[in-house]
Amino acid sequence: MKPFSCVISPLALWIIFLVFQSGVLAAETAENSCETCHLALGVENLTKPAENFKADIHAAKGFGCVSCHGGDPTIMGLEAMDKKKGYIGKPTGLQIIETCGKCHSDANFMRRYNPTLRVDQVAEYFTSVHGKRLKEQKDQKVATCASCHVAHSIRPPNDSRSSVHPLKVADTCGSCHANKAYMAPYKIPTDQVEKYKTSVHWQMMASKGDLSAPTCNDCHGNHGASPPGVSSVVNVCGQCHAVNSELFNKSAHSKIFVQMGIPGCAACHSNHAIVATSDAMLSTGDKSACAGCHPPTSSGEMLAAKMLGSIDRLKAETDKATVTLASAEHAGMEVSQPLFDLNEAKTALIKARAAIHSFDQATVEKEIEPGLKVSERAYARGVKALDELQFRRKGLAISALIILALVIGLVLKIREMERKPK
């Protein structure tokens, strides 16, 4: 009797491999039926979401299509999109909020993935202009989660490809707010993005790479987005400009502006088209921020002129000291300490420019005086260094003349001795 043989023919091995492989493919297809079908359709609006989703943060965390759209991914064909299986297809505005909030409002659930993310976004959203209109007026045109966090392409805000990356926020908000036809029913301006991109804030961010510079959501909020009220503008700007805000809140203008319905900082600096500030804003020229309310010879115009005069005086003294010290340094004199001390005068100038928000000459002068004293000392040290330089040059010239006279005398004496008979 022959022993039992365990040898399997090559043909049998190939058949087993094919059967195994087909089983794996069937399993993969069942688990990814949404992606498999949509990628195979060849219709852009159906295929592109499946392609984009591969790089979505949710896909990276292991979530699939059914997490948001419902349905049964284990079934191939239209049966997978049976409403009895929870399929909602393209969600409405309120369904989007509910779908996102299902995870993002659950603290225990979110802790497993990103404990730093807030879980009150939905509650905050319904305090916004967008949320109120959606909930109370059923306005389907207002922004929802998917309007800002582009569906199927959601990335963290620090990803430069994200629609909510600081450099992209203005364009994301502008996709609605800069669209005249879309915004026509709301009767609000649509030039905010255009103006913002002329502002010093945008220049700081786009040209100088300062991603901490403010963009739309820094002033209006993100999930709870609303226009700042007249009485809150100063507080909003004060998030960054704390000193200016504190001074303004203590000034007479603060209460008057609220009573007149004038929005604080925006009255002088505008809101979206905020340009870099200059001392000319205190002047009576076309760049004046005061002339719009204070006519010539008024007390307000005279106060602005006094504050500008004080600032110009400090600028002139600082510049004079800087030029004098620079000349001395270029000539090789040691003036590093007064040059360093002069930074205090430059700091005083910055403080004085901030102090104008108090609209009080005494407050401005309080910042100006220390700067003037530093500038005067620095200038005096520069003059002394230049005087010392002149003294050294004169001493050197006299020494050179004395040495030359001695050399000439010595030469003459030698010649005289050479002429004497030996």
Side-chain angles (χ1 to χ4, degrees), residues 9 58 184 190 194 202 207 235 254 272 290 311 368 378 394 419:
S9 69
H58 297 98
T190 55
E194 180 184 356
W202 173 252
S207 301
N235 296 328
S254 177
H272 300 101
C290 305
I311 288 173
I368 291 286
K394 289 177 181 177
R419 285 196 294 269

Side-chain angles (χ1 to χ4, degrees), residues 155-179:
R155 295 181 173 89
N158 59 1
D159 187 326
S160 61
R161 299 168 297 173
S162 171
S163 58
V164 291
H165 182 270
L167 282 170
K168 301 280 185 66
V169 169
D171 289 328
T172 295
C173 295
S175 62
C176 292
H177 284 274
N179 187 326

Side-chain angles (χ1 to χ4, degrees), residues 55-69:
D56 190 287
I57 184 65
H58 297 98
K61 297 294 184 180
F63 297 97
C65 309
V66 294
S67 300
C68 299
H69 295 284

